[in-house]
Amino acid sequence: MREGFRKELKDLKAEVIGIGRSVIDVTKLATRSLVEGDVDLAAQVIAGDDDLDARCLGIEEHSLEITATQFPVARDLRLLHSLAYIAMHFERMGDLGVNIAKAARRTASRRGPQTLYDLIQAQGNLVHRVLEAMLEALEKNDLELARKLELLDEPIDHLYKQFFRELARLQAEEDIEWASSMVLASRYLERIADHAVDIGERITYMVTGEFEQMGEGTPETDS
Amino acid sequence: MMHVSADVREDTTRPRADKISVKDLDFYYGDFQALTGITVGIKERGVTAFIGPSGCGKSTFLRCFNRMNDLIPGTKVDGTILVDGEDIYAPGVDPVDLRRRVGMIFQQPNPFPMSIYDNVAFGPRLHGVTKKPELDEIVERSLERANLWKEVKEILPRGGLTLSGGQQQRLCIARVLAVEPDIMLMDEPCSAIDPTSVQKIEDLMDELKDRITIIIVTHNMQQAARVSDETAFFLQEKTGQPAEMVEFGRTAEIFTSPKDRRTEDYITGRFG
């Protein structure tokens, strides 16, 4: 019976990693839809969100069922609780991806300065790197990698601030709605990476049983 | 209220001192060493659970606290056990008096073959209480504290063995409470009774622990997690070797983040 329980935990983790993979795809596609002004791609990202939400909810339901029936303790308990917690982060990261896609829809009709698109793309690439590292840390219970996420997140925050400054410089000649959508998109990307850093903290707890607070990776500007 | 977390309880009570202090305890059955090197402080006003696989010495250790092992020929205790600072193995300590202060509840309820009333009055009579009104009062109070009074107040002359298993176990608890112990040892007290009675006994432990230090040996990990403030994990690593106390700590911590891999493996069902 305990064997069945352990398989359930393993399957649950695999499903969470699968959701994480989808979140990475969403982030990538959403960023591309924004940079390329591709409204069809944006629509595709938006349409996929319900499915992602349902999968995240499924993780929570399943983990509640296991908790109620199997009395997990110690590392099993930490794993189960952490998976539910991580799924919740994934759901929010997916929502942020949708927000980026919506920004893509709003901005697609107008082409702004290339510098800004380059900046967003650079930011997207860095976010992608953080997400890949986060998912690998989760998959392999890699403490070192989990602890490195915060470091990987730093340049993303800088890029967000730089984006903000660039935009402020240009704003006089740019459409205000376009500009605010772009800055929000940059902000959403930055938030996605913050979630990944939080997941890193959760991974260290899952593995060690100790809560390690990493520094605040959020820039001063709040949405 | 039973399912209050250990954290909450600790915040609302004054600091708990050690009721029992064990230092470098070794225990032998003849040539066989059953326990080695146990050093631990059992806190007052709380429930401490002993867990571990069968044969890991937890019941043996429990029986050291009221010198029940003295009754088995060839047993030997090295090291010290202090109760309220007094060495209970020092010459001159009267084991009978010790067993009044340190009561014991067994796996199988064991009422004496006498009336419910006489079961509870047995201890006080043994210790010299003879006046009927005084005995009446002790019997009622003890049965009340054991949450059995309402069920038996009309049938006190009836035999203790006519009660259900769960009621018999609470009668045994009342019998222990009648002599006002400071410590109650419980050796698998719930493994022979039905779930409703288990619930009642767990509630009872929670009520009693404000005044009595309770130590429970249990194979039911969920019960240990539910009822205890501190948990000790015992393990005999190899057959023929003495068992040791692998880990001792706050129950909430043991069941979320145990420090020792062997504890973690045991409570998550990876062996044992």
Side-chain angles (χ1 to χ4, degrees):
Chain A
M1 195 165 128
R2 226 47 194 166
E3 281 312 303
F5 165 57
R6 255 180 270 297
K7 186 177 177 304
E8 260 189 298
L9 286 183
K10 219 173 133 192
D11 291 349
L12 196 69
K13 184 172 175 181
E15 169 64 4
V16 170
I17 288 166
I19 297 173
R21 183 57 52 206
S22 301
V23 167
I24 293 179
D25 290 344
V26 164
T27 309
K28 237 164 51 178
L29 295 179
T31 309
R32 199 204 299 165
S33 73
L34 181 78
V35 172
E36 295 176 4
D38 186 337
V39 286
D40 292 338
L41 191 58
Q44 190 188 316
V45 168
I46 294 164
D49 191 49
D50 285 349
D51 178 56
L52 193 70
D53 286 355
R55 286 166 72 194
C56 292
L57 191 66
I59 295 294
E60 196 185 345
E61 283 173 351
H62 199 165
S63 94
L64 273 175
E65 282 169 15
I66 297 177
T67 305
T69 54
Q70 297 287 342
F71 187 59
V73 294
R75 81 182 99 138
D76 298 335
L77 177 66
R78 298 200 303 272
L79 172 64
L80 202 54
H81 190 258
S82 299
L83 289 178
Y85 188 91
I86 290 168
M88 190 184 77
H89 274 291
F90 282 164
E91 197 245 316
R92 292 184 185 166
M93 291 157 90
D95 290 345
L96 290 165
V98 166
N99 288 347
I100 294 170
K102 285 180 179 166
R105 238 173 22 187
R106 288 195 302 271
T107 54
S109 58
R110 187 183 192 290
R111 199 69 193 160
Q114 189 57 36
T115 351
L116 293 178
Y117 293 106
D118 291 346
L119 269 177
I120 286 271
Q121 187 57 61
Q123 204 186 1
N125 293 344
L126 289 173
V127 171
H128 184 233
R129 190 173 68 151
V130 173
L131 297 187
E132 286 288 355
M134 173 273 294
L135 209 58
E136 189 183 335
L138 174 62
E139 200 164 3
K140 299 179 177 163
N141 289 338
D142 187 333
L143 274 182
E144 209 179 317
L145 196 55
R147 289 178 179 136
K148 228 176 90 180
L149 294 174
E150 196 193 2
L151 208 66
L152 294 176
D153 178 51
E154 267 174 30
I156 298 170
D157 298 342
H158 292 311
L159 274 185
Y160 169 65
K161 285 177 195 166
Q162 194 186 334
F163 189 89
F164 206 79
R165 281 196 301 271
E166 289 285 332
L167 204 71
R169 224 153 45 86
L170 295 172
Q171 216 164 337
E173 55 202 69
E174 294 301 337
D175 177 317
I176 190 76
E177 198 196 336
W178 181 89
S180 57
S181 290
M182 289 299 278
V183 81
L184 278 175
S186 173
R187 167 71 177 169
Y188 297 143
L189 275 172
E190 184 271 325
R191 288 296 303 148
I192 289 174
D194 285 346
H195 279 287
V197 174
D198 284 349
I199 291 173
E201 285 178 6
R202 184 54 51 159
I203 294 168
T204 60
Y205 170 70
M206 199 173 86
V207 177
T208 64
E210 305 284 338
F211 283 106
E212 288 177 26
Q213 195 68 39
M214 298 185 194
E216 292 296 325
T218 325
E220 311 83 61
T221 335
D222 235 324
S223 60
Chain B
M1 179 64 198
M2 197 184 68
H3 301 289
V4 181
S5 81
D7 281 335
V8 174
R9 277 198 289 250
E10 275 170 19
D11 287 343
T12 54
T13 54
R14 62 191 156 83
R16 295 151 59 213
D18 284 349
K19 181 76 180 173
I20 304 174
S21 305
V22 181
K23 192 157 186 290
D24 300 328
L25 184 112
D26 297 331
F27 185 87
Y28 301 83
Y29 289 107
D31 292 339
F32 171 65
Q33 185 176 359
L35 294 169
T36 183
I38 298 181
T39 295
V40 68
I42 308 276
K43 290 194 189 332
E44 62 177 352
R45 288 181 292 112
V47 177
T48 301
F50 289 173
I51 61 169
S54 296
C56 68
K58 51 196 188 301
S59 291
T60 298
F61 187 47
L62 188 76
R63 288 195 300 263
C64 288
F65 300 137
N66 65 350
R67 295 184 50 175
M68 280 284 283
N69 292 318
D70 291 12
L71 305 173
I72 305 168
T75 56
K76 191 178 79 161
V77 174
D78 279 345
T80 52
I81 300 181
L82 308 181
V83 172
D84 291 328
E86 263 179 73
D87 184 350
I88 60 169
Y89 281 89
V93 171
D94 175 7
V96 175
D97 183 56
L98 177 70
R99 285 175 205 138
R100 184 198 63 74
R101 289 161 57 204
V102 186
M104 186 144 191
I105 300 295
F106 300 87
Q107 177 173 356
Q108 204 62 46
N110 57 346
F112 300 138
M114 50 179 78
S115 73
I116 295 169
Y117 184 99
D118 288 341
N119 261 282
V120 183
F122 188 87
R125 279 182 177 137
L126 197 69
H127 290 94
V129 182
T130 49
K131 290 187 184 126
K132 179 85 167 67
E134 202 180 335
L135 279 173
D136 286 352
E137 198 194 311
I138 292 172
V139 168
E140 178 173 346
R141 189 176 60 224
S142 306
L143 287 166
E144 281 272 14
R145 287 180 69 197
N147 286 339
L148 188 60
W149 176 247
K150 280 186 195 137
E151 292 161 62
V152 300
K153 64 180 175 185
E154 308 295 340
I155 53 166
L156 292 175
R158 202 179 284 176
L161 290 163
T162 63
L163 296 173
S164 74
Q167 287 173 325
Q168 286 187 23
Q169 195 62 303
R170 278 178 288 142
L171 178 62
C172 294
I173 293 173
R175 190 174 64 196
V176 165
L177 294 176
V179 294
E180 301 283 342
D182 314 328
I183 297 170
M184 188 153 70
L185 310 176
M186 305 179 95
D187 196 353
E188 293 257 17
C190 296
S191 51
I193 56 182
D194 68 283
T196 314
S197 301
V198 169
Q199 177 78 49
K200 283 185 179 155
I201 287 177
E202 290 182 358
D203 285 344
L204 185 55
M205 290 169 72
D206 199 62
E207 288 163 26
L208 292 175
K209 71 171 197 171
D210 288 341
R211 293 163 63 176
I212 297 178
T213 302
I214 298 174
I215 307 174
I216 179 172
V217 166
T218 177
H219 276 121
N220 182 336
M221 226 84 71
Q222 301 178 38
Q223 180 171 62
R226 278 195 303 267
V227 303
S228 72
D229 301 278
E230 280 87 26
T231 295
F233 170 58
F234 293 80
L235 184 66
Q236 179 190 32
E237 292 240 52
K238 281 189 195 133
T239 316
Q241 300 260 309
E244 58 178 318
M245 182 185 282
V246 169
E247 187 165 353
F248 177 79
R250 284 202 317 116
T251 298
E253 214 162 284
I254 295 272
F255 283 94
T256 51
S257 309
K259 298 278 178 286
D260 195 291
R261 181 72 182 204
R262 293 166 295 175
T263 314
E264 181 132 33
D265 284 346
Y266 178 70
I267 63 174
T268 56
R270 282 168 172 85
F271 74 81

